[in-house]
Structure formats: structure tokens, C-alpha cells
Amino acid sequence: MSRSERSSLLLAGLLATAGTAHFARPRQFDATVPRALPGSPRTWTYASGVAELALAAGLAVPRTRRVAALAAAAFFVGVFPANVKMAVDWRHRPTPQKAAAFGRLPLQVPLVLWARSVARSAEGRS
């Protein structure tokens, strides 16, 4: 298995794990949904989980990998406000929880870059 194939499947695994978590433990994700969004937080939690599972499936299939990777990069940008809300909401929690919440913010950049790299690697293979 090539390095780019492994990278694609690792990103798919990350998204599949996150998507599954949205259904297994929805309450923790509900709390991160920005209040400005219309509808119930649970609807957004489930929609996000479905999106992550769909992205994972798209990344796992070479024919759809490029489009799924570009969509994953956009998704990572789109969920950034939820991560900001979590950091703000957790600013008074114990230090380990606060560090985890604030530590997620800069991690969005490498996730976006990783997804873009997967898309570039898939360009010549579609």
C-alpha cells in the first residue's frame, strides 16, 4: 500500500470514528453547536455525524477520493466555529479540559492541509 493510500485511509478512519461518536455520544456534540444556528443542536450533531461518515466513505474509494478530500477540507473549516464555541464554553473548566478545548483550535489547520494533500495525491488517479 502506498503512502498516499495509507494517508487517505487514515483520514477516512479519523472521520469515520468522529462520525460514529456523534451518534454514540450526541450530548457532548450538542453542546458545541453554535446557538446562532437554526434548529435543534441534536439535528446539527446528527447531520455532522452523517457528513463525517459520508466523507469517510468517499475517501475510502479511490474514484471518489479527490472530491471527498476537498469536501473534507471544507468540512474542517466549517466546523471551526463549533470548536471555538467549545473553547469559550470550557475556559473555566479544569486545566486539562481547558487545554484540550483550546488545543483543538490549531489542529484544524493540519486537518485542512491533510485533506488537501489527499486531494492532490488523488488527482492523477481518478
Side-chain angles (χ1 to χ4, degrees), residues 5-116:
E5 178 82 8
R6 257 190 320 276
S7 181
S8 301
L9 295 178
L10 283 171
L11 184 57
L14 174 83
L15 284 161
T17 300
T20 302
H22 279 70
F23 292 96
R25 296 259 198 220
R27 189 181 306 164
Q28 73 183 31
F29 294 97
D30 293 347
T32 68
V33 175
R35 289 179 195 90
L37 291 176
S40 82
R42 183 62 50 94
T43 300
W44 287 101
T45 294
Y46 287 154
S48 180
V50 168
E52 286 169 321
L53 292 171
L55 290 168
L59 286 163
V61 177
R63 196 176 75 213
T64 58
R65 186 167 291 151
R66 181 179 177 280
V67 170
L70 292 172
F75 178 82
F76 292 138
V77 171
V79 299
F80 187 73
N83 292 338
V84 170
K85 181 182 183 306
M86 181 181 177
V88 169
D89 289 348
W90 286 26
R91 69 187 179 280
H92 301 299
R93 289 201 178 187
T95 300
Q97 290 177 333
K98 186 174 16 178
F102 279 93
R104 288 178 63 165
L105 299 178
L107 287 178
Q108 293 301 116
V109 172
L111 287 173
V112 170
L113 295 176
W114 184 10
R116 289 184 59 211

